[in-house]
Amino acid sequence: MTSGDSSAVPFGSGLLGPLDQDAAVLRRRVQRLLTAALIATNVIGALVVAGLAALLMPTPGMSGDLVRVTAVAVPVYVVSAVIAGTLWGTRGALRTLRWAAEGRRPTDAER
């Protein structure tokens, strides 16, 4: 493949699929990619925060009760935040990109 061969990668990335695919298929593919990126960044962020908190926690550390509460509360919060963020982000994106799902060009207000 040469750098001038745009037919092999029509959208600039093999992740987006072939150029002749249905617009609804492309929308679902992009939605899945964005949702996966959203979930991954939230989970990575939660791990970074947990790691920094563990490293920066003043000595002598947390008591046994606090460790147990944290061991339950943090995973519950992270899972809840990922679910809520995914639903909120997906709904917002679908509202914003309704024109693509309907197979029409966006209006000036939708741009």
Side-chain angles (χ1 to χ4, degrees):
M1 175 171 72
T2 64
S3 61
D5 184 13
S6 63
S7 63
V9 186
F11 292 111
S13 171
L15 292 174
L16 297 178
L19 188 58
D20 60 347
Q21 70 186 326
D22 183 53
V25 172
L26 177 61
R27 184 197 57 80
R28 284 191 301 273
R29 182 187 307 265
V30 170
Q31 183 178 346
R32 282 192 307 270
L33 290 169
L34 291 175
T35 300
L38 175 77
I39 291 171
T41 55
N42 279 296
V43 170
I44 290 168
L47 292 173
V48 168
V49 168
L52 287 173
L55 291 173
L56 301 177
M57 189 65 68
T59 55
M62 298 191 294
S63 69
D65 288 339
L66 186 56
V67 169
R68 283 188 290 280
V69 168
T70 303
V72 172
V74 169
V76 167
Y77 170 77
V78 169
V79 168
S80 300
V82 166
I83 290 170
T86 301
L87 292 173
W88 179 69
T90 300
R91 285 184 181 166
L94 290 176
R95 247 190 329 270
T96 302
L97 297 173
R98 184 171 293 140
W99 59 269
E102 294 171 355
R104 60 178 175 81
R105 292 213 178 274
T107 64
D108 287 339
E110 293 171 324
R111 289 184 197 270

